[in-house]
Amino acid sequence: MCLAVPGQVLAIAGDDPLTRSARVAFGGIVKQVALAFAPEACVGDYVLVHAGVAIAVLDAEEAARTLACLATLEEEAE
Amino acid sequence: MKYVDEYRDPVAARRLAGAIRALVTRPWTIMEICGGQTHSLLRHGIDQMLPEGVTLLHGPGCPVCVTAAEVIDQAIALAATPGVILCSFGDMLRVPGETGSLLAAKARGADVRMVYSPLDAVALARAQPEREVVFLAVGFETTAPASAMAVLAAADAGLRNFSLLVAHVLVPPAIAALLAAPDNRVQGFLAAGHVCTVMGYDEYEPIARRFGVPIVVTGFEPVDLLQGILACLRQLEARRAEVENAYGRSVRLGGNAPAQAALRQVFAVVPRVWRGMGEIPASGLDLAPAYARFDARARFPSAVAAPASVGPCISGEILRGRSRPTACPAFGTGCTPARPLGATMVSSEGACAAYYRYRRAAA
Ligand code: SF4
């Protein structure tokens, strides 16, 4: 039930902190997502969405670091 | 899709499994708390990639499963109240309480609706001011912020016809309860990545220290899960017991500050009964006094006080051994296996169905 899905912010509407929302693309599907808990999200960012609410902006640098760790592990294993 | 595909790479997964095999020198037992992770582990066969001796135990991390039958019965009673629209997530509608499920209540004519977000329930309340919209709010810390946002939005819009039946649960007290049990076998935990996205992971430090277990914040894709398992096993092999984050792209130490602020504003921490685990202190959220006007239990006290007596169905009494199917006024007339009014007539193993099949003549 804690399923949360990453999607890319296409457009942001509103400036009220509570009702600010975004159009977010999940693959081919576009949904309206509440942005109150991801105020820093910008167009182009990837957000993690649960029950219609963005709960995080995904951190591209951290993601790259994780994958880089994985690459060193692969070399060790080879 | 970005942030999904690269974490499903089978080559990376196999190499991580290789690293795990090379590392492990003895049997270890790890628990993943979250039901979403359990699902993903089995779906991708990760349990079968681990060396023999590494055991994954599955935790109580399915909010639908741990919601007490009493809460579902309260929701069913509310759904049967004239004028009420009862909304919840799809999974919740199928779970039986003692008086059946919400879907069964819907089949009997109650207005029960599946929503994708609590905000959809607020929109419904706004669109139908003549109806009372009740949202059955279940879920862990991942979901509670969406419920909090719904309450804040309803307050902001001045809605008087929106309320919540709150059954939110909190993960850390459940982990502590599991570890404190005398027959506990769990040596390390994978903490639920999306719960920690909201709450951060500093609240796990005292648990790791007190019980001497490593706790690794872990994501949901195969590569994430294997990385979490590898990190946990590295700590176990090195006799370390620390809190570690293996889901950095989503989880920060302090979590999501605006979501936590909304939780603190709208909810208060309360004791909660978990189905199968009993009451755990400080393991639930309920509406804070300032938002008590959104509490469905306070708004419809008679409905939630006597859930078993709604309609003619007495299956709650029958399940407790206090009554017999033949004592029910609807038995064999208003209620039959083809048109059941209660769970005990739905299931072929239910007492009412058995009486209908074998004892109707005598009744
Ligand atoms: S006969 Fe039907 S209505 Fe009566 S208690 Fe059994 S299930 Fe409920």
Side-chain angles (χ1 to χ4, degrees):
Chain A
M1 194 181 149
C2 286
L3 185 72
V5 185
Q8 191 171 27
V9 176
L10 300 179
I12 296 176
D15 39 25
D16 178 78
L18 184 63
T19 58
R20 216 164 147 262
S21 72
R23 283 176 54 234
V24 176
F26 305 90
I29 303 161
V30 176
K31 284 194 164 169
Q32 201 71 23
V33 167
L35 276 194
F37 301 148
E40 73 277 32
C42 302
V43 170
D45 282 348
Y46 278 79
V47 287
L48 190 64
V49 178
H50 172 77
V53 175
I55 55 171
V57 178
L58 291 173
D59 185 330
E61 271 173 41
E62 276 294 333
R65 199 170 309 152
T66 310
L67 292 173
C69 279
L70 201 61
T72 59
L73 180 81
E74 286 170 17
E75 277 157 29
E76 278 168 35
E78 270 163 354
Chain B
M1 207 162 62
K2 198 175 171 199
Y3 294 116
V4 175
D5 296 340
E6 58 271 47
Y7 300 93
R8 286 188 183 166
D9 175 13
V11 177
R14 270 199 300 277
R15 285 176 178 161
L16 278 162
I20 290 171
R21 272 195 301 276
L23 169 77
V24 168
T25 63
R26 66 197 65 204
W28 297 109
T29 299
I30 297 174
M31 175 180 274
E32 86 281 359
I33 266 289
C34 172
Q37 291 176 332
T38 306
H39 183 95
S40 188
L41 284 166
L42 296 174
R43 175 176 165 199
H44 298 285
I46 298 203
D47 49 334
Q48 290 158 355
M49 297 171 83
L50 299 178
E52 217 171 302
V54 173
T55 306
L56 292 175
L57 290 180
H58 313 304
C62 161
V64 171
C65 311
V66 302
T67 299
E70 187 197 0
V71 173
I72 294 162
D73 290 335
Q74 290 176 342
I76 291 168
L78 285 167
T81 304
V84 167
I85 302 174
L86 193 289
C87 307
S88 197
F89 299 121
D91 289 355
M92 236 18 245
L93 304 189
R94 280 185 293 273
V95 189
E98 300 209 353
T99 57
S101 69
L102 282 162
L103 267 190
K106 185 180 168 81
R108 298 197 292 267
D111 196 344
V112 175
R113 304 197 196 177
M114 191 189 104
V115 292
Y116 158 71
S117 167
L119 298 170
D120 298 342
V122 176
L124 190 62
R126 199 181 303 210
Q128 304 219 28
E130 73 290 355
R131 303 287 300 274
E132 280 280 349
V133 174
V134 180
F135 178 68
L136 169 54
V138 294
F140 287 124
E141 293 93 326
T142 313
T143 314
S147 295
M149 196 190 283
V151 170
L152 292 173
D156 200 47
L159 292 182
R160 293 171 181 281
N161 64 329
F162 177 76
S163 57
L164 269 69
L165 179 60
V166 184
H168 283 301
V169 277
L170 302 173
V171 168
I175 293 186
L178 286 166
L179 286 170
D183 56 352
N184 168 57
R185 297 195 292 133
V186 181
Q187 295 163 298
F189 271 97
L190 307 184
H194 294 154
V195 166
C196 295
T197 298
V198 171
M199 300 305 290
Y201 50 95
D202 43 4
E203 61 182 333
Y204 295 91
E205 295 282 357
I207 300 176
R209 235 177 292 125
R210 176 171 157 214
F211 295 101
V213 293
I215 302 179
V216 180
V217 179
T218 302
F220 292 75
E221 299 300 341
V223 166
D224 291 319
L225 286 160
L226 285 161
Q227 282 184 322
I229 293 166
L230 176 62
C232 194
L233 289 167
R234 272 195 184 130
Q235 287 203 43
L236 286 167
E237 288 284 343
R239 301 292 185 276
R240 285 187 292 126
E242 292 157 17
V243 179
E244 189 177 332
N245 182 9
Y247 195 32
R249 68 182 179 281
S250 169
V251 177
R252 278 118 231 174
L253 174 64
N256 182 323
Q260 289 172 30
L263 289 180
R264 276 194 303 273
Q265 184 177 347
V266 171
F267 292 122
V269 175
V270 295
R272 171 128 296 140
V273 174
W274 294 50
R275 205 169 192 166
M277 291 180 76
E279 184 175 292
I280 304 176
S283 70
L285 295 175
D286 210 338
L287 287 157
Y291 291 90
R293 65 187 186 283
F294 294 102
D295 184 356
R297 291 183 179 96
R299 194 176 301 204
F300 306 97
S302 56
V304 297
S309 65
V310 171
C313 182
I314 57 163
S315 61
E317 298 292 297
I318 292 169
L319 282 164
R320 287 191 205 89
R322 292 192 200 141
S323 195
R324 288 170 177 280
T326 46
C328 173
F331 176 76
T333 54
C335 181
T336 63
R339 302 173 121 259
L341 296 182
T344 44
M345 190 63 97
V346 175
S347 158
S348 61
E349 291 173 15
C352 295
Y355 267 68
Y356 184 83
R357 186 156 173 202
Y358 300 115
R359 295 282 181 276
R360 197 154 33 123

